[in-house]
Structure formats: C-alpha cells, structure tokens
Amino acid sequence: MLGLYLHIPFCSAICNYCNFNRGLFDADLKARYVDALVAEIERAGLQACATSEGDATTSEGDATTSEDTPPGAAARAAADTIYFGGGTPSLLEPEEIARIIAACTSSFEVADDPEVTLEANPESVTQARLAAFKTAGVNRLSFGVQSLNDAELQRLSRLHSAARARDAVAEARAAGFDNVSIDLMMWLPGQRTSDWLATVDGAIALAPDHVSLYLLEVYPNAPLKEVMARAHWSQAPDDDAAAMYTTAMERLEDAGLRQYEISNVARAGRQSRHNLKYWTDGEWLGFGCGAHSTRDGVRWKNVSATEDYIERISRQASPAVEVRRLSPDERLGDALFTGLRLVDGIDLSAIDIRYGVDVWARFGAELQSFVDAGCLRHEGDGLRLTREGMLIAHEVMAVFV
Ligand code: SF4
C-alpha cells in the first residue's frame, strides 16, 4: 500500500543548522498552503493512474508541461500511512490536520488502521492541543527533542528546553497517545560522549515507543558553522562519534528498544510503518512543496518554494518539477541501498524474484571484502550489515549505486 507524505514547511524560528525545506510561520500563507495541499491531494485521488511521464530530469523552475507530469494516483488507490513532516507540522491547527486527513481518506482507500504520524516540536504543543490532534485522527507523534541538555539545545538555537521536551512527552501520554517517537541528535558541537549518553539515558527514562538517532551534519553555509568558529566549539573526533553511536544503541536495546534500521529503534510492533516503505522498496506519494514521490518506477519532486507551489496548484498546473523514470539498474540499486539500512538486511531471493538479478553473482566479488572484514553477513539468502558495518554503511552501499 502507498504511504502518503504531507509536507508542512512552517517553523516558529529557523534553527541554525537546518537544511530542510522550511520557512518562517505566517498565518495567511499557512491558510493558503493548507488549501493548496488539500487541492493537490484531492486532485491526485481523482487522476487516472497512467498519465504520461518524462524521461529526463527537468530542473526546478522549468515550466510544467504534460511531459513532466508524474503518474497520478489510481482512483482511490490504497494507502495505509499518513505522515505529516516538516518544518513543524504541529504549528497547524488540529482542525487543519483533520481537514488534510479527510482529504486523504476521501481521495484514497485508506486502511482501517492507518498509521497517522505528526512531527511535533515540544514548544508548540500543550496537552489540550495534543488531545485535539488525536481527535483529528493522529495516532503517532514524533517529537523533535534532539537533546535533553539545555546548553546543547541553545547551541542549536532550538526554542525548547529539556524540561519542555519531557513535559511534552508526558502530555502526549496524558492525551492518550500510545505511540510516541523521539528524535535525538548526536555529535553536537562541544558534546562529550558523557553528555550524549546522559541524553540517551534521559530519553530512555521517558519510555518512548520509538527513537531515531541522527548525526548532526554542519552544512557549509549553515549559520551554526560560524557560531562554532566564534565560540571554538568543535565536534568530537570520528572515533568518539562511532563510540557514541554504538553505546547508545546498546543502551537503547538494553531498555527494550530493538534496533531495526541504522538510525532507528522501536519497541515490538512500534517500527515506523511509513518510514519502512522507504527502506523496503515501497511506494509513496508526497504532497506539498518540495515533497518527493515514488510510484510505478517513476520518481518526482514538487517545486520547493511555498509560494510557487501554491501558485501552481491554484492554476491547476502540476507542482512537479523533477520527474524521472528510473532505469531497472537504478531501481535495483535503490532497493539494495535502502534495504541494507535495515538490521534484517536484504532477502536476496526476493530481489531475484522482483528484479531477476542474482545479487551475489553481480556484486559478490566487491562485497566479499566487507564480509571478510566482519562488516557484512551473507548467510543463505540474507545479506545484512553488522553493527560495525553500519559505521561504514555508505562504503558498502556505494557498491550498488
Ligand atoms: S524546527 Fe526543524 S525544520 Fe524547523 S528550522 Fe528547526 S530543524 Fe529546521
């Protein structure tokens, strides 16, 4: 079944490290954006399946033509996950969330038990707001906690404190959410291993159902880079970062949160059904500015700028600006590349059935050195990274692309 991704590009403030597609919250813009988002979802639901698609990548900003129109969703295609990502989706009003969910359920055959995730920033919620989001149909929250250390949060220019993050999780439980995820960021400027592990222990104490660990990437033009230079903050050496990751994973697993993907752990039955579509060669439709979609071997991306997106929707034009049919080798490479992120790895016989390729015959010679180094396991039809292998995952995955 499809996953439906809804991009909400508004934030109360722009964090100094952020490289996402987002902008400052503006009430008028938000209202027009929600209208456009609902229109895009309803239009996709109405479209027949096979419209034309372009062969070549077009660059963003190109005029939309029938040749770069992505395949529409088949009328009432089946979907079982709805994911509000951003940006800060929790800045929308619960009524707006309910309206967008209603557009999804009226346009797609949404399963009886869909996973409906809302990314939320701790400072943007109260127990009453969370209860209203639940009434609107949200059944999973993903909190952008990042750190439980106030000094670190300030260095990242986040608006919340560690206490607010803890309170937000407690409010979510009180509002009746039984599926709560926490995002944490490691390798922060000036962060010692002990600081990081204190955040991990603090997160475990909050008894989340799911935790995602991200490595801070400081982009060349990120304001944080300049802040770090002025304050003489640096990131820990690579070896320390590796130890931070492996020790965190051990502690989370000891607490009953099983690792199922390179960056993700969950209690039994609480893996992210939506994100699993990205790692199991699934299909999804993205709505909103900058959203990506993959369906029927075609990948496309919507225009990034919020105003451009609204303008295209308002004149009934496609918001897609990059549409590309993937070659068989690209589809195979993506399936292997993303599948290897999973702790259970790849089922080579399933790949053979789907793509008609004997993966070991094609790539085995290059992969054997990783097996010999203890980074990769090849057992029967299974191929998976070991935890050491996860530290060099990109080197291994590079074999496939
Ligand atoms: S809240 Fe998230 S999306 Fe918004 S600016 Fe900060 S990091 Fe970026």
Side-chain angles (χ1 to χ4, degrees):
M1 282 199 244
L2 288 169
L4 305 178
Y5 174 84
L6 300 320
H7 190 70
I8 310 298
F10 306 110
C11 292
S12 299
I14 304 302
C15 303
N16 60 15
Y17 60 91
C18 180
N19 196 34
F20 297 123
N21 187 33
R22 78 297 178 260
L24 275 179
F25 179 84
D26 172 293
D28 170 64
L29 183 63
K30 179 202 64 167
R32 291 189 290 120
Y33 184 79
V34 170
D35 287 345
L37 195 55
V38 167
E40 189 195 3
I41 295 165
E42 291 178 344
R43 196 192 303 169
L46 286 173
Q47 274 173 346
C49 185
T51 57
S52 60
E53 67 272 346
D55 289 327
T57 302
T58 60
S59 57
E60 186 155 323
D62 279 357
T64 304
T65 66
S66 60
E67 281 71 45
D68 63 8
T69 303
R76 296 193 60 81
D80 65 348
T81 64
I82 297 174
Y83 192 103
F84 289 87
T88 309
S90 51
L91 289 179
L92 292 194
E93 293 308 315
E95 300 73 35
E96 293 168 321
I97 295 289
R99 193 176 152 217
I100 296 166
I101 294 173
C104 292
T105 52
S106 67
S107 307
F108 295 89
E109 205 62 55
V110 175
D112 292 341
D113 62 338
E115 177 189 85
V116 184
T117 303
L118 181 80
E119 289 184 354
N121 280 356
E123 75 281 357
S124 68
V125 298
T126 60
Q127 188 174 322
R129 261 178 90 72
L130 290 169
F133 285 133
K134 188 158 190 295
T135 304
V138 175
N139 57 25
R140 180 173 185 267
L141 290 171
S142 176
F143 281 117
V145 169
Q146 319 311 355
S147 168
L148 289 170
N149 176 313
D150 283 338
E152 289 174 358
L153 288 168
Q154 282 163 19
R155 270 174 228 168
L156 295 175
S157 69
R158 297 293 304 206
L159 295 178
H160 66 273
S161 64
R164 174 87 287 271
R166 289 190 176 94
D167 287 350
V169 174
E171 288 161 1
R173 295 301 192 197
F177 282 96
D178 63 0
N179 198 352
V180 176
S181 181
I182 287 177
D183 284 356
L184 298 178
M185 277 174 56
M186 55 175 279
W187 213 30
L188 303 181
Q191 185 181 53
R192 296 163 300 185
T193 303
S194 57
D195 299 326
W196 162 243
L197 294 176
T199 282
V200 172
D201 290 342
I204 289 169
L206 295 173
D209 302 285
H210 185 282
V211 180
S212 300
L213 306 181
Y214 296 101
L215 208 64
L216 172 70
E217 238 180 293
V218 185
Y219 294 92
N221 58 353
L224 177 61
K225 201 172 178 74
E226 212 181 298
V227 176
M228 285 174 65
R230 262 193 309 208
H232 302 294
W233 292 326
S234 57
Q235 291 174 287
D238 286 1
D239 284 352
D240 290 6
M244 285 176 168
Y245 170 79
T246 47
T247 310
M249 282 300 174
E250 285 161 12
R251 290 193 185 188
L252 289 161
E253 292 213 311
D254 286 348
L257 290 148
R258 180 180 173 260
Q259 184 181 14
Y260 69 101
E261 194 266 351
I262 286 182
S263 305
N264 289 279
V265 300
R267 296 196 190 287
R270 289 290 188 239
Q271 292 91 346
S272 166
R273 285 163 58 190
H274 182 83
N275 288 338
L276 275 169
K277 293 184 191 297
Y278 303 140
W279 304 316
T280 54
D281 206 12
E283 299 192 321
W284 60 94
L285 296 178
F287 298 99
C289 59
H292 293 252
S293 303
T294 298
R295 189 157 195 237
D296 295 338
V298 182
R299 183 162 293 167
W300 68 97
K301 177 186 179 252
N302 282 356
V303 65
S304 296
T306 309
E307 286 285 9
D308 283 358
Y309 167 78
I310 294 172
E311 191 272 327
R312 280 174 183 247
I313 296 291
S314 69
R315 63 177 164 86
Q316 307 274 315
S318 168
V321 287
E322 293 172 25
V323 184
R324 206 159 67 87
R325 175 167 289 286
L326 302 176
S327 70
D329 273 359
E330 282 176 307
R331 292 182 74 173
L332 171 70
D334 281 3
L336 297 172
F337 186 94
T338 52
L340 215 48
R341 294 189 61 93
L342 293 168
V343 167
D344 290 343
I346 304 164
D347 180 344
L348 298 180
S349 62
I351 293 282
D352 200 347
I353 290 167
R354 191 161 199 180
Y355 294 99
V357 172
D358 180 336
V359 172
W360 195 257
R362 186 184 287 190
F363 300 106
E366 287 173 88
L367 294 174
Q368 187 60 47
S369 60
F370 294 112
V371 173
D372 295 341
C375 295
L376 194 62
R377 289 256 158 77
H378 177 214
E379 293 157 341
D381 282 333
L383 186 68
R384 65 179 177 85
L385 291 169
T386 62
R387 191 158 282 163
E388 296 73 48
M390 288 179 183
L391 296 169
I392 58 154
H394 282 91
E395 280 179 50
V396 182
M397 291 166 178
V399 169
F400 302 128
V401 290

